[in-house]
């Protein structure tokens, strides 16, 4: 089921499957900024990543002496959320534990996404509540894909990402199983703010960064003054991704990253894991602004 939000300037469409943003466009021009989900490249558009990010080694997590099979990026993106409330400009979606989630993640929880559209800015708030009788452990991430080049003008090389702060960023690499390769990294930004885009940049897969200082990463074009700014709170890590020669780029603020190729620990030992006590709440947010 789709829920449509409209302001005087823009329209956002959210699908209850995964509470996923599937469209964000300007009303005056009709320009679409979210990837279409064409299966020729990638069927996703803007999934939420929960309760893990990326791959778990062996496709499994361990907790409380038991082992559970879990898919890459977790189950939230393939789960049907309940629409809790909706107005013309706001919608709230909720996912709680059920028979399917408990088969791969042995905790009671509430994951709530709130979408608020104001002008040409869409804010997404993420709230996780521990409804279990013990501590729960999870990672949380975003995965929005933006059409690139912007407005379909020019080539990907006419576009770049601009960080709001000068960044010293070393890229981590993933192996064929989606696990972080031990001891392999390379400098991508050296006290710089601008990252030029090209298809070649993604030939070795996703770019993974930890400890990003910038709250805002903006997709810009050399050919137009249009841009898409992505501002996050509570997501210190970042993934950038594009399948081979795809006409979009993903800007993915995260809390946590995939397992390392040698990882042997339990769920609570994963990099960037969030520990939430009984009755506790975790809040973070993502703001997408069309400029």
């Amino acid at each position: 089921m789709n829920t449509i939000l409209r302001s005087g300037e823009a329209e956002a469409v959210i699908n209850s499957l995964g509470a996923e943003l599937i469209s964000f466009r300007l009303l005056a021009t009709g320009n679409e900024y979210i990837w279409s989900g064409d299966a020729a490249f990638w069927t996703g558009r803007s999934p939420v990543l929960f309760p893990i990010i990326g791959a778990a080694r062996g496709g499994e997590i361990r907790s409380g002496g038991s082992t559970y099979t879990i898919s890459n990026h977790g189950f939230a993106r393939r789960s049907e959320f309940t629409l809790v409330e909706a107005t013309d400009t706001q919608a709230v979606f909720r996912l709680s534990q059920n028979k399917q989630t408990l088969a791969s993640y042995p905790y009671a929880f509430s994951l709530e996404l709130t979408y608020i559209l104001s002008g040409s800015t869409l804010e997404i708030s993420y709230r996780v509540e521990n409804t279990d009788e013990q501590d729960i452990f999870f990672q949380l991430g975003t995965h929005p894909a933006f059409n690139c080049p912007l407005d379909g003008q020019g080539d990907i090389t006419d576009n770049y990402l601009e960080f709001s702060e000068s960044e010293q960023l070393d890229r981590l690499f993933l192996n064929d199983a989606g696990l972080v390769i031990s001891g392999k990294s390379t400098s991508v930004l050296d006290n710089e703010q601008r990252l030029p885009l090209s298809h070649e940049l993604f030939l070795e897969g996703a770019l993974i960064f930890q400890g990003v200082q910038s709250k805002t990463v903006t997709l810009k074009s050399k050919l137009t003054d249009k841009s898409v700014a992505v501002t996050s709170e509570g997501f210190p890590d970042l993934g950038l991704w594009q399948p081979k020669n795809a006409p979009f780029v993903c800007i993915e603020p995260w809390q946590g990253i995939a397992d390392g190729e040698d990882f042997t620990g339990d769920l609570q030992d994963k990099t960037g894991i969030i520990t939430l006590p009984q009755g506790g709440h975790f809040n973070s947010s993502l703001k997408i602004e069309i400029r």
Side-chain angles (χ1 to χ4, degrees):
M1 182 183 72
N2 289 341
T3 298
I4 300 174
L5 307 181
R6 285 194 182 95
S7 68
E9 299 178 33
E11 176 188 88
V13 182
I14 303 102
N15 193 314
S16 57
L17 182 63
E20 182 176 14
L21 176 67
I22 62 172
S23 174
F24 189 25
R25 66 185 185 94
L26 291 178
L27 294 177
T29 63
N31 287 344
E32 176 64 64
Y33 288 84
I34 296 295
W35 166 241
S36 67
D38 184 346
F41 292 101
W42 182 53
T43 57
R45 301 186 189 190
S46 182
V48 58
L49 316 182
F50 176 90
I52 66 167
I53 291 170
R57 186 167 183 241
E60 297 177 335
I61 58 173
R62 291 165 295 281
S63 182
S66 298
T67 299
Y68 303 85
T69 300
I70 193 167
S71 59
N72 288 5
H73 292 318
F75 50 73
R77 60 183 179 148
R78 297 188 178 94
S79 297
E80 187 71 25
F81 280 64
T82 299
L83 178 62
V84 178
E85 60 180 82
T87 67
D88 289 344
T89 58
Q90 179 173 326
V92 181
F93 297 85
R94 182 181 298 142
L95 175 68
S96 300
Q97 79 281 353
N98 54 51
K99 182 178 179 180
Q100 288 72 35
T101 70
L102 289 170
S104 59
Y105 178 72
Y107 297 106
F109 67 91
S110 171
L111 169 61
E112 194 169 274
L113 273 65
T114 300
Y115 289 85
I116 301 176
L117 179 61
S118 177
S120 60
T121 298
L122 181 66
E123 184 163 2
I124 311 166
S125 297
Y126 304 83
R127 177 182 173 89
V128 181
E129 180 182 358
N130 180 356
T131 59
D132 211 315
E133 298 179 352
Q134 59 184 321
D135 290 354
I136 69 171
F137 309 95
F138 61 92
Q139 297 171 319
L140 181 66
T142 73
H143 203 310
F146 300 100
N147 290 324
C148 183
L150 284 169
D151 286 352
Q153 297 185 34
D155 187 76
I156 186 175
T157 55
D158 295 312
N159 295 258
Y160 60 94
L161 297 178
E162 183 174 272
F163 290 76
S164 57
E165 306 291 336
S166 294
E167 295 282 358
Q168 190 77 41
L169 292 180
D170 292 333
R171 170 190 181 177
L172 302 180
F173 293 82
L174 303 177
N175 64 18
D176 291 341
L179 304 174
V180 177
I181 299 173
S182 300
K184 182 177 181 180
S185 65
T186 188
S187 177
V188 172
L189 291 180
D190 185 8
N191 197 32
E192 299 169 279
Q193 290 180 265
R194 182 179 290 196
L195 177 62
L197 292 177
S198 66
H199 293 308
E200 290 73 23
L201 182 66
F202 301 98
L203 285 180
E204 293 187 74
L207 286 71
I208 311 298
F209 303 110
Q210 292 181 280
V212 177
Q213 300 301 308
S214 297
K215 297 296 185 183
T216 301
V217 181
T218 305
L219 174 61
K220 292 188 172 184
S221 169
K222 303 172 188 176
L223 305 180
T224 174
D225 59 0
K226 295 181 175 65
S227 65
V228 181
V230 179
T231 301
S232 62
E233 293 288 345
F235 294 114
D237 307 312
L238 180 69
L240 302 175
W241 179 68
Q242 178 194 82
K244 185 177 180 180
N245 297 329
F248 66 86
V249 62
C250 294
I251 303 172
E252 311 171 39
W254 296 340
Q255 170 71 57
I257 61 173
D259 285 348
E261 58 187 355
D262 300 322
F263 180 75
T264 58
D266 288 349
L267 175 63
Q268 65 196 63
D269 302 315
K270 288 170 67 69
T271 300
I273 202 73
I274 300 163
T275 301
L276 202 58
Q278 182 181 358
H281 301 85
F282 176 84
N283 297 282
S284 55
S285 66
L286 188 75
K287 183 169 67 175
I288 302 172
E289 183 180 0
I290 301 172
R291 298 172 176 170

